[in-house]
Amino acid sequence: MTSREQLLASTFVSLADTLVADFDIVDFLHTLATRSVELLDADAAGIMLADQRGALRLMASSAEEARLLELYELQNNQGPCLDCFRSGRPVARDDLPAMRTSWPAFTDQLQGFGFHSAQALPMRLRAETVGALNLFRLKPGRLTDADLSIGQAMADVATVGLIQERAIATGEQLATQLQTALNSRVQLEQAKGVLAQRAGLHMDEAFQVMRAYARGHNRRLSDVAAQIIDGTLDDDHVRKGSRTRPGVPPRT
């Protein structure tokens, strides 16, 4: 088995493992985003999920540029991720002129970040679409059919996991969980900015440090973020502790 095949197998296991007591939806979706970049011919990825009112919200991204592009889509109501969620089908264009015809403002913003291609895959199960996975590339053109199949398979498995996890909760609990996840995401962005500024890190590096610390100490990302914001968790301690403690294997 090649290293790519091993990573793919590990990814499917991780995306299917949602029935655990400390299931963290933000970390789960970040795994999907980062593994999409590692396994596909994509340079960045972002994920949007629908909230209890059916409105799309940014939930995870593999890089700061992807996060900003996803937010731009939402703010301007334009882009492949939105079209994908509304139609429940994969959305792509062959080249930049075709993209500009469909999403003129978004395409300008995309090029401003150095990307030349964007396409989206639905996160769906049968007739239910819960969100979309956006894939950004530095070079123009669509993903290959093989990469599209793998990407859609990962999105499908993640969707099954999310719906399965949601099914154990009542409607009210589900709404609370989604709102909590959205609140946690906002808190994570705040903590990322605080840590980046205080420690002199890039935004993406700050998130990776927080995530590694949370995993290495078997803690929730949201709890670590809250302590970074209120100052009860020392920045140097977070950076030094982001390496897994001896005898404590990282969660996959």
Side-chain angles (χ1 to χ4, degrees):
M1 182 180 289
T2 67
S3 59
R4 186 171 188 259
E5 290 171 336
Q6 290 173 334
L7 180 59
L8 184 57
S10 171
T11 298
F12 279 121
V13 170
S14 298
L15 295 178
D17 187 20
T18 58
L19 294 180
V20 290
D22 60 344
F23 175 68
D24 187 332
I25 189 172
V26 173
D27 190 72
F28 173 81
L29 293 172
H30 185 77
T31 295
L32 175 59
T34 55
R35 293 292 176 86
S36 295
V37 174
E38 291 169 357
L39 287 162
L40 308 177
D41 187 18
D43 299 288
I47 297 169
M48 294 187 195
L49 281 188
D51 63 16
Q52 61 267 37
R53 294 181 296 276
L56 278 180
R57 299 293 187 92
L58 172 64
M59 294 302 298
S61 59
S62 67
E64 180 68 7
E65 294 82 0
R67 183 184 76 88
L68 295 174
L69 279 170
E70 296 280 64
L71 289 174
Y72 188 86
E73 283 193 73
L74 291 174
Q75 291 167 357
N76 292 273
N77 194 32
Q78 180 186 120
C81 207
L82 296 177
D83 288 357
C84 177
F85 175 71
R86 291 162 181 159
S87 68
R89 297 171 181 244
V91 170
R93 298 293 183 270
D94 291 327
D95 50 35
L96 281 171
M99 289 182 62
R100 189 167 284 106
T101 298
S102 298
W103 317 296
F106 169 78
T107 303
D108 287 343
Q109 193 75 6
L110 180 82
Q111 287 191 276
F113 283 111
F115 296 107
H116 292 83
S117 173
Q119 57 195 101
L121 300 173
M123 296 184 66
R124 68 185 178 205
L125 179 62
R126 301 186 182 91
E128 182 177 4
T129 302
V130 302
L133 167 65
N134 231 1
L135 301 168
F136 305 100
R137 306 174 72 212
L138 295 175
K139 55 189 175 184
R142 303 174 183 238
L143 289 172
T144 64
D145 289 343
D147 270 8
L148 280 176
S149 295
I150 292 173
Q152 189 62 67
M154 289 195 296
D156 289 345
V157 170
T159 304
V160 171
L162 286 172
I163 292 176
Q164 174 179 260
E165 198 277 336
R166 292 175 182 182
I168 64 175
T170 64
E172 182 177 349
Q173 289 171 326
L174 172 57
T176 300
Q177 181 198 48
L178 286 173
Q179 190 59 52
T180 298
L182 290 168
N183 293 341
S184 295
R185 183 67 198 179
V186 171
Q187 189 177 50
L188 280 173
E189 293 299 332
Q190 293 174 342
K192 187 167 67 173
V194 169
L195 184 60
Q197 183 179 29
R198 292 199 303 225
L201 299 172
H202 187 274
M203 293 285 278
D204 291 335
E205 293 174 331
F207 183 84
Q208 292 300 336
V209 167
M210 283 195 299
R211 191 182 188 217
Y213 179 88
R215 288 190 161 205
H217 292 73
N218 199 28
R219 299 188 58 194
R220 295 177 65 87
L221 269 170
S222 56
D223 295 335
V224 173
Q227 285 194 281
I228 289 174
I229 292 171
D230 65 24
T232 57
L233 190 56
D234 182 76
D235 299 341
D236 288 336
H237 183 62
V238 175
R239 285 195 291 174
K240 292 176 182 177
S242 64
R243 294 185 293 270
T244 304
R245 294 180 298 167
V248 181
R251 291 180 294 172
T252 58

